[in-house]
């Protein structure tokens, strides 16, 4: 990906099977978040090509967005500190019912109000359990405001919201930011559990665990130029030119993300 100041990332290669735990490791400002948004169909790349869940990028951005979900990404999918846990869950359920493209709560609008509320509660319970967030341990239960959550609790809530649509690819930014060693271990174990259940997890971090597939951003090119680059586990290659058309849409995916 190339921006006004030059290459954001370049020379990337990775082959990850479904259910993999992939860590994007590198210093802040080295293109980690842009790489995450590109691989989830939220940002169009300048060169090269990829295939996510069988869908080519950058040709099928919308298709990749339908099978992926974002956890916490600063400036894109952050939690609202003024809202409570329950309000976030209700909002996410409404968005999934109306606009979701993956199996979740789509179609429940046709149910009677009582059955619809029961379906929402059941799905919210499933997602909270998968994310390991016990409402009974929070200061005010479901009425706890996000600003009153601990860092790990907020991360678990964000993951629960992302899981509503049963994504095949789950991506999250800065997973180890402002966490103690114990907190990091707790979060990585949670992500391993999601991967074991079949969801491919893509996590941006400053230090990757030993058992993850690793993409490292900010590494110098082999020629010693020192330009920002990303390298995967194994050999790296430079991207090839690719003029994809997102199902007839020529709009910029980042603009869509900003509007959302």
């Amino acid at each position: 990906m190339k921006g006004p100041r030059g290459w954001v990332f370049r020379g990337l290669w990775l082959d990850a099977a479904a259910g993999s735990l992939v860590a994007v490791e590198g210093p802040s400002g080295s293109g980690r978040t842009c790489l995450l948004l590109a691989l989830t169909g939220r940002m169009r790349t300048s060169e090269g090509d990829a295939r996510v869940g069988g869908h080519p990028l950058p040709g099928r951005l919308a298709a990749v967005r339908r099978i992926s979900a974002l956890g916490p990404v600063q400036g894109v999918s952050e939690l609202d500190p003024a809202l409570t846990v329950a309000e976030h869950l209700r909002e996410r359920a409404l968005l999934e019912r109306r606009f979701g493209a993956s199996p979740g709560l789509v179609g429940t609008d046709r149910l009677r109000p009582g059955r619809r509320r029961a379906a929402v509660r059941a799905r919210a319970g499933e997602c909270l359990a998968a994310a390991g967030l016990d409402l009974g341990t929070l200061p005010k239960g479901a009425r706890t405001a996000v600003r009153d959550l601990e860092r790990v609790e907020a991360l678990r809530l964000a993951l629960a919201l992302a899981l509503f649509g049963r994504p095949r690819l789950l991506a999250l930014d800065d997973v180890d930011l402002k966490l103690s060693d114990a907190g990091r271990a707790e979060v990585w174990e949670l992500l391993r559990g999601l991967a074991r259940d079949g969801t491919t997890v893509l996590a941006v971090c400053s230090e990757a665990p030993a058992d993850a597939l690793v993409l490292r951003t900010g590494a110098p090119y082999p020629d010693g130029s020192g330009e920002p680059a990303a390298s995967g586990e194994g050999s790296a290659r430079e991207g090839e030119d690719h003029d994809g058309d997102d199902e007839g849409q020529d709009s910029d995916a980042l603009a869509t993300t900003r509007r959302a």
Side-chain angles (χ1 to χ4, degrees), residues 6 17-19 22 27 34 41-42 63 85-86 103 112 126 129 135 148-149 152 156 158 194-195 201 219 239:
V22 181
C34 289
R42 271 80 177 174
V85 173
R112 292 178 180 274
E126 293 171 0
L135 299 183
D148 296 325
L149 296 177
V152 174
R156 289 183 183 276
L194 294 174
V201 178

Side-chain angles (χ1 to χ4, degrees), residues 51-243:
R51 189 169 292 272
V52 179
H55 303 296
L57 288 176
R60 298 290 301 279
L61 293 171
V64 172
R65 288 196 295 270
R66 283 194 291 269
I67 65 168
S68 64
L70 293 180
V73 177
Q74 186 175 2
V76 178
S77 56
E78 295 172 292
L79 298 174
D80 188 329
L83 295 182
T84 66
V85 173
E87 287 168 339
H88 271 290
L89 291 170
R90 285 197 296 270
E91 178 187 62
R92 186 66 187 89
L94 177 61
L95 290 171
E96 181 63 27
R97 290 202 332 255
R98 296 292 175 88
F99 305 111
S102 56
L105 295 174
V106 179
T108 55
D109 282 336
R110 295 190 295 269
L111 300 176
R112 292 178 180 274
R115 294 185 63 186
R116 183 169 63 244
R117 287 192 293 269
V120 169
R121 286 194 299 270
R123 184 62 192 144
E126 293 171 0
C127 295
L128 290 170
L133 183 59
D134 182 359
L135 299 183
T137 64
L138 303 182
K140 297 181 180 179
R143 295 183 292 108
T144 303
V146 166
R147 67 167 66 93
D148 296 325
L149 296 177
E150 300 292 338
R151 163 71 175 158
V152 174
E153 292 171 339
L155 183 59
R156 289 183 183 276
L157 173 60
L159 288 176
L161 298 175
L163 291 172
F164 258 80
R166 295 188 174 92
R168 294 167 57 188
L169 172 63
L170 177 63
L172 57 161
D173 201 8
D174 289 327
V175 297
D176 52 4
L177 181 66
K178 298 180 181 178
L179 287 180
S180 64
D181 290 343
R184 288 190 185 95
E186 182 180 343
V187 169
W188 283 116
E189 187 55 36
L190 167 62
L191 299 182
R192 287 188 192 97
L194 294 174
R196 284 193 296 267
D197 289 339
T199 303
T200 303
V201 178
L202 181 66
V204 168
C205 62
S206 58
E207 185 176 353
D211 60 339
L213 290 173
V214 182
L215 295 175
R216 291 185 176 89
T217 58
Y221 280 119
D223 63 6
S225 65
E227 296 182 41
S231 59
E233 197 164 359
S235 62
R237 62 176 174 85
E238 289 199 10
E240 301 172 354
D241 289 336
H242 181 77
D243 292 322

